[in-house]
Structures are given as C-alpha cells and as structure tokens.
Amino acid sequence: MPAKNPNTALTEDDITTLADLIDEAAGRTDAPLSLEGMDGFITALQCAPRPLPEASYLPVLFGQDDPAALFADAAAYSRFHALLTRRWNEIARALAAPIDDLNDPRALSPLIMDWEGLLAELPKKEAAALRAEGVPPYASIWAAGFLQVVEHWEDDWALPPDSKDEAFVDEMLDPLYVLMTPPEDWSEDERQTSRNDYVAMAIWSCYVLRDFWRDRGQAPRN
C-alpha cells in the first residue's frame, strides 16, 4: 500500500493506531507519554517563540535520546513518524486558518481523551475500578503536554520582567495552567468558569500565541 500524503488528516483508525504505538513506547520509558500529552506538546511547538528541530524535541517528548529504540522495530517507528507528521501538519493547518468560531470545521481540535464518556460505556464494575485508580481531569494531560514545552524551553519564552508582553503571554498561558491544576486546588475565582470554557480559552490561546511570536519576527514552522 502506498504511503498516505503527509497532508492527509488522521482518520479515527489512524488515531487509534497512533495511540497504540505511543502506549507501546510509553512502556519502555519513564516519560509521561500519551497521545493526548503528545498532541499538546506538538501544538505548543507550533505556538512557540522559535522553531525547534525534530532532533531536539523528540528526545524531550520521549525522555530518551534515541526515541526509535522505544518501538518494537524500525517499521513501528516509521508508522509512528508518518502519523506524527500528518498530525503535525493537521495542527499547522488549523492554527493557520482564519477562525472566528471554534465550531468551524477548520478549527484546532485537540486529541483529548473523554474519560467520562469511556466510563459511561464500560460495565459498572470496570468503570468503578478505573475510577478508583484515578481518572485524569478533562484536558489536563493535553495542557500538561503543552506546558512541558513552555517549561523545558523557558529561556525561549522569557520576556523582559514586568513588561506588557510578559503579562500578556502569562495571561494566554493561564488557562493551560488552570487545566493542569487538580480541580480541588482551583481558587474560588477559577471555579466561576467551567472546565469546558477553560479548554476553549486554551485553544484560543494557541492561536494568539502563534500570531504573537510571528509578529515579533519568528520564522514559520510549516
């Protein structure tokens, strides 16, 4: 079968395959690796102050200098890389699109796991056991993946202290930090906004941050 065009959007089957490949690699590293976290991570790379080469960011994502070694064989890594490239391009197209409404089919749609939906479909005993193990709050892993980039390359994101730009970037990142924070630790003010609204705010922040750094003369990433 010929390889798919790297600009072809991922299908549901592709997403399942990508998740399975990442889960397999996750079993061989201590890094907090997941499809949702990876999606946040590569989204942040496209909103960042400067483009980073794959050779720099993949070892950070996988917690391994040689990410390919975490896969069963070269063919599995090749499948992962092809799917990652297509997802990267899909995110790039979404962030470049002139969006006024997140319901626009061109808008960024993060690969966020719907744990509550999954629990609702499971038998009661299985759902109860999974819930007892602890279910991540919605979009918390995606936000953590995004912020991993911000914090690992914090010097890139640094702006003059007390500048309007620094305050602006902090404001854009705030919804992501809220999503990553356990709900029981939210402040009273944060509790006035729904989790879904914070997710929407975080997605809009991706667009704003991407444009912000480009307005400062940064190179495009696609």
Side-chain angles (χ1 to χ4, degrees), residues 29-47:
T29 179
D30 292 330
L33 196 58
S34 67
L35 175 66
E36 182 177 333
M38 185 206 73
D39 207 59
F41 188 96
I42 63 174
T43 299
L45 289 170
Q46 300 188 52
C47 303

Side-chain angles (χ1 to χ4, degrees), residues 91-139:
I91 292 170
R93 288 193 299 274
L95 291 175
I99 298 299
D100 294 319
D101 185 338
L102 292 181
N103 290 318
D104 189 316
R106 298 172 299 170
L108 177 65
S109 180
L111 299 180
I112 296 172
M113 180 65 180
D114 179 10
W115 288 100
E116 292 301 323
L118 173 64
L119 290 170
E121 293 178 357
L122 291 175
K124 289 184 178 180
K125 286 187 178 180
E126 289 183 31
L130 185 57
R131 196 180 292 279
E133 291 178 10
V135 175
Y138 186 72

Side-chain angles (χ1 to χ4, degrees), residues 2 6 34 52 59 70-71 73 83 89 97-98 104 106-109 127 216:
S34 67
L52 291 166
L70 299 176
F71 292 82
D73 51 35
L83 292 169
N89 292 338
D104 189 316
R106 298 172 299 170
L108 177 65
S109 180
R216 293 173 68 91

Side-chain angles (χ1 to χ4, degrees), residues 13-24:
D13 286 345
D14 291 330
I15 292 170
T16 298
T17 298
L18 181 56
D20 289 344
L21 288 166
I22 292 171
D23 287 347
E24 180 182 340

